[in-house]
Amino acid sequence: MSFLPGFGRPQPSSAEKIANAETEMDMITEMMSRLNQSCVKKCINPDYREGDLAKGESVCLDRCVGKFFDVQMKVSEKMQGDAAMKQGQMGM
């Protein structure tokens, strides 16, 4: 294993970098869509009476978004841990 950058593993091509960026954008877009659907459904009354959010709606959205991202982080950490364990088992 080399400690010099660029040595030891092949560098991705421009096409691979673009494909990876597009995949990441698709994942972020999907996550934001789920966040929007979930929190708006829970927090905003479909009977609009004012142009601005009410205090209760604003607090609800703030909490919902916070919980959504907490769960996303926990799921991500769990998946990374599982992947690391699998790789560790394969290396044995």
Side-chain angles (χ1 to χ4, degrees):
M1 177 175 188
S2 176
F3 293 102
L4 298 174
F7 297 103
R9 77 179 141 163
Q11 296 296 314
S13 68
S14 292
E16 290 172 327
K17 289 179 184 177
I18 291 170
N20 289 341
E22 288 174 346
T23 300
E24 186 173 353
M25 285 298 296
D26 289 343
M27 288 171 42
I28 290 170
T29 301
E30 172 64 25
M31 182 179 69
M32 292 306 293
S33 176
R34 283 186 285 125
L35 168 71
N36 188 29
Q37 288 174 357
S38 176
C39 291
V40 167
K41 184 177 180 181
K42 289 178 185 175
C43 298
I44 301 199
N45 186 355
D47 183 25
Y48 297 103
R49 298 193 185 259
E50 297 179 21
D52 295 333
L53 291 173
K55 182 171 176 99
E57 292 171 330
S58 181
V59 169
C60 179
L61 285 171
D62 187 48
R63 289 180 181 160
C64 183
V65 169
K67 288 178 182 180
F68 185 90
F69 281 111
D70 284 345
V71 169
Q72 290 296 315
M73 289 299 296
K74 288 178 182 177
V75 168
S76 177
E77 289 168 1
K78 173 76 171 132
M79 290 176 69
Q80 288 176 356
D82 289 351
M85 270 183 32
K86 268 188 178 178
Q87 260 192 335
Q89 289 174 351
M90 290 177 66
M92 295 178 126

